[in-house]
Amino acid sequence: MTNKVTVYSKPDCMQCNFTKKWLKERNIPYTELNIKEDEEALLKVKEMGFQAVPVIVTEDDSWYGFQPDKLAELVE
């Protein structure tokens, strides 16, 4: 199981909420960075080439959007 998961999100984002809920329900610890409150987090998302949130970053992968198939890889 990956032990470092970072979720870049923003308030009132349905896909962000679904992603965080999915992780919580499976007791997968994660760090949340709010791109609306954290300028550095916003810049990091842009540097990675993403233009939408949530952006999920693990030790060996990154993607955006609520993707249950990708999230499931975290518990395998």
Side-chain angles (χ1 to χ4, degrees):
M1 179 191 284
T2 300
N3 60 2
K4 278 190 158 187
V5 178
T6 304
V7 178
Y8 293 87
S9 67
K10 67 180 180 180
D12 302 320
C13 163
M14 284 305 262
Q15 289 196 41
C16 301
N17 294 337
F18 286 143
T19 298
K20 292 182 289 187
K21 182 176 188 279
W22 195 100
L23 292 167
K24 282 178 191 162
E25 287 174 351
R26 285 151 186 87
N27 295 316
I28 298 172
Y30 65 92
T31 301
E32 179 182 4
L33 297 174
N34 182 334
I35 65 165
K36 291 289 187 191
E37 296 173 356
D38 185 339
E39 185 70 25
E40 261 184 58
L42 176 59
L43 290 173
K44 182 75 175 161
V45 166
K46 289 180 177 180
E47 278 176 20
M48 290 186 287
F50 295 107
Q51 298 179 352
V53 288
V55 171
I56 297 83
V57 178
T58 66
E59 289 174 347
D60 45 34
D61 201 2
S62 61
W63 67 90
Y64 81 94
F66 176 59
Q67 297 187 34
D69 57 327
K70 298 285 282 179
L71 291 167
E73 294 174 11
L74 299 174
V75 288
E76 290 175 355

